[in-house]
Amino acid sequence: WEIRRDELKATGDGHFRSKAYQPAIQAYADALQLDPTNHIILSNKSAAHLANGEKSKALHDARKCVEHSDGKWSKGHTRLAAAMMSLGRYGEAADAYSTVLNELDPNSEVAKRGLEDCRKKEHQLREGKERELRKMQEVLDQQKKAEKEAQEEKETKTKNDNSDEGEEDDLLDDFFSEVEKATEKPKPTISTADNDSGEEPTNRIKTQMNDLGTSQSQIDRLLQVNYEWKNLNPFYVLDIPHTIDDDSIISARYRALSLLVHPDKCLDDPVRAKTAFEQVRKAMNQMNDVDKRKHVRALIDEGMKQGKRDWKEECSKSSNVHPDNKEGLAQAQSKATMKIFAEIEQKRREIERRKRKFEQRERAQEDDEKKKETDERRFHKEWREGERVDKRVGNWRDFQVDGKKKRTS
């Protein structure tokens, strides 16, 4: 059977080179019936499906290829990434290419070019979404402005609103000061001391660890109620202001926090420590991607603005709420920011759910087509093996002979 399998594979390769993709797919399918877990044939079949415009089938075979190669064959991951790119799943494709470069083949030119293409596509999509978000926000702002202009505002409220507008930057700075005080880390220590003093990395990490407090306090912070939603913001996980963009500071904070919550360092609570450590590592993976970090910062900026708008609206509705209450402003901004991240995550999960359902339908359709092809082949085989063709031809000849005899008589 191995010889027959290799013959069918060679036939499929020949069809593929001549761009006869459907015969190539059939040849590969016949070969896989003899060897269903052959990752090389699965890879070739995925490429043929993709070239034939059958993107979902290409993705299905690429995933099988990675599965049956134990995830250790770099070409399988590039096949998977190519299929995902064709379906517009640039983030997943980038992860597949990154797996090749980080774990399997750091010198893969295919993976390097593919990763670069994915980032360009992601950047274009992100810019488009940001433009749509800005347009939607402009429409909402105009609607709110029209509603406010239609209402009769008191003179005192107008003064308060004007003073709020003039103090926006001061309130934002005060908010960051409150956040830093709550976590016992002065802002100057995070933003400037590491760079200006020429402090050694080891001492820098020790300083960060002192600022972060105890291991238990950080584990409790990272695993508080609804932590899956709160930790969508990587700046919140690393416990630093989103204005920081210095890689050395971010890296030092990550190493310090990792040392605090690492399971090997928290023998009293290793299970929760492992979960907290995964949250920190996940956040750092986001921070290592420059485009993702920029996108996250834009989301936080939008949350800060929305929180300020919400706070103003709450102040205008209640005389018991004072606009200068910095703690109230900070809570409104934190709530609005978390809401933005949560809404995006909900949309992502819904998209993933739809993708899975779509892939299930595609696989079911593919299985039905395969079953139909198998049944047709079995029917023709049984037809020929049962000598039905010869019997029908013989009956027809007998009929012709009998007909001639009757006419002559």
Side-chain angles (χ1 to χ4, degrees):
W1 65 269
E2 292 180 348
I3 295 175
R4 178 58 180 160
R5 176 202 64 190
D6 294 340
E7 289 176 351
L8 289 168
K9 177 184 176 298
T11 301
D13 294 343
H15 286 311
F16 186 87
R17 283 192 291 269
S18 62
K19 298 184 179 181
Y21 301 122
Q22 197 58 48
I25 292 169
Q26 185 59 56
Y28 292 138
D30 292 339
L32 287 170
Q33 286 187 349
L34 298 173
D35 190 0
T37 62
N38 190 297
H39 61 279
I40 297 176
I41 300 176
L42 284 166
S43 172
N44 292 357
K45 186 166 177 278
S46 173
H49 276 306
L50 189 60
N52 203 38
E54 299 169 318
K55 301 174 184 178
S56 295
K57 293 181 180 179
L59 177 60
H60 178 57
D61 285 335
R63 281 182 169 160
K64 280 189 173 181
C65 171
V66 173
E67 177 186 351
H68 292 305
S69 64
D70 296 328
K72 297 178 181 179
W73 193 44
S74 62
K75 193 171 182 179
H77 288 277
T78 57
R79 289 281 190 234
L80 180 63
M84 287 177 170
M85 275 196 72
S86 69
L87 291 166
R89 305 181 190 178
Y90 303 118
E92 296 174 75
D95 291 340
Y97 283 129
S98 297
T99 300
V100 175
L101 294 173
N102 296 333
E103 302 176 13
L104 302 173
D105 185 5
N107 299 319
S108 173
E109 293 297 329
V110 174
K112 289 178 182 178
R113 288 194 301 270
L115 183 59
E116 185 178 353
D117 291 341
C118 286
R119 287 176 174 169
K120 287 180 181 177
K121 295 289 186 180
E122 277 190 305
H123 183 67
Q124 291 172 358
L125 283 177
R126 193 174 296 126
E127 284 185 337
K129 290 179 181 178
E130 288 176 358
R131 282 195 297 270
E132 291 178 5
L133 182 62
R134 285 194 295 269
K135 288 179 181 178
M136 291 174 62
Q137 191 60 57
E138 288 175 1
V139 172
L140 291 173
D141 291 342
Q142 290 175 359
Q143 290 176 350
K144 288 184 178 181
K145 184 178 179 182
E147 291 173 0
K148 286 184 179 180
E149 289 176 351
Q151 296 176 354
E152 293 182 358
E153 297 186 32
K154 293 181 181 180
E155 190 174 354
T156 53
K157 179 191 168 186
T158 304
K159 290 181 180 179
N160 287 336
D161 288 341
N162 291 336
S163 65
D164 284 344
E165 288 293 333
E167 295 174 0
E168 179 176 357
D169 294 335
D170 293 336
L171 287 173
L172 195 58
D173 292 338
D174 291 341
F175 165 66
F176 283 128
S177 298
E178 290 295 325
V179 172
E180 290 152 16
K181 287 178 183 177
T183 54
E184 299 180 357
K185 56 178 194 308
K187 188 172 182 178
T189 302
I190 296 176
S191 60
T192 60
D194 294 338
N195 291 335
D196 297 339
S197 64
E199 189 178 7
E200 291 295 327
T202 304
N203 295 332
R204 187 183 305 166
I205 294 172
K206 288 181 179 179
T207 303
Q208 296 279 353
M209 291 179 69
N210 292 332
D211 293 338
L212 288 168
T214 64
S215 297
Q216 192 60 49
S217 65
Q218 285 299 324
I219 292 174
D220 291 340
R221 180 182 70 86
L222 293 168
L223 300 183
Q224 59 184 296
V225 178
N226 295 324
Y227 72 89
E228 298 94 340
W229 300 101
K230 293 181 180 179
N231 292 350
L232 293 171
N233 179 356
F235 285 96
Y236 170 80
V237 175
L238 297 181
D239 203 8
I240 56 177
H242 78 289
T243 51
I244 290 180
D245 197 29
D246 189 316
D247 288 338
S248 62
I249 297 175
I250 294 173
S251 179
R253 174 51 62 110
Y254 164 69
R255 290 196 293 270
L257 190 54
S258 298
L259 287 172
L260 275 178
V261 301
H262 197 281
D264 293 343
K265 303 291 184 181
C266 304
L267 300 179
D268 294 336
D269 196 0
V271 176
R272 294 179 73 239
K274 182 180 179 181
T275 305
F277 179 75
E278 288 297 326
Q279 295 294 312
V280 175
R281 186 165 61 179
K282 181 180 177 181
M284 192 59 191
N285 287 337
Q286 287 184 275
M287 299 290 265
N288 283 333
D289 190 313
V290 177
D291 291 333
K292 286 184 180 179
R293 192 194 306 177
K294 182 180 177 182
H295 180 57
V296 166
R297 188 175 288 109
L299 293 177
I300 296 174
D301 286 336
E302 182 59 35
M304 301 292 284
K305 293 176 183 177
Q306 183 61 49
K308 189 173 188 305
R309 287 191 290 267
D310 295 342
W311 177 244
K312 283 183 182 180
E313 187 175 350
E314 184 177 350
C315 291
S316 66
K317 291 180 180 178
S318 176
S319 58
N320 297 327
V321 181
H322 197 277
D324 293 334
N325 185 342
K326 300 180 182 66
E327 184 177 353
L329 173 63
Q331 290 177 353
Q333 290 174 320
S334 175
K335 182 179 178 181
T337 300
M338 188 170 71
K339 184 178 179 182
I340 288 176
F341 279 95
E343 287 175 347
I344 292 175
E345 177 63 14
Q346 285 178 329
K347 290 178 182 178
R348 187 193 68 79
R349 292 184 181 184
E350 178 62 21
I351 290 171
E352 286 297 322
R353 186 185 67 81
R354 291 179 181 178
K355 285 179 182 176
R356 287 194 295 270
K357 290 187 69 175
F358 179 76
E359 288 175 8
Q360 287 174 357
R361 288 196 298 269
E362 285 288 318
R363 288 197 293 271
Q365 181 181 354
E366 185 177 355
D367 291 340
D368 290 341
E369 291 176 357
K370 287 182 178 179
K371 185 177 183 302
K372 184 179 178 181
E373 292 172 0
T374 303
D375 291 343
E376 287 179 355
R377 285 197 298 269
R378 185 184 298 114
F379 174 79
H380 290 300
K381 183 178 179 181
E382 291 175 352
W383 174 270
R384 296 187 181 281
E385 288 178 352
E387 298 181 353
R388 296 180 184 178
V389 176
D390 294 336
K391 288 180 181 178
R392 291 194 63 179
V393 172
N395 291 338
W396 173 249
R397 288 171 180 166
D398 293 341
F399 173 76
Q400 287 182 321
V401 172
D402 292 340
K404 289 179 180 180
K405 287 180 179 178
K406 288 179 181 180
R407 285 195 296 271
T408 55
S409 62

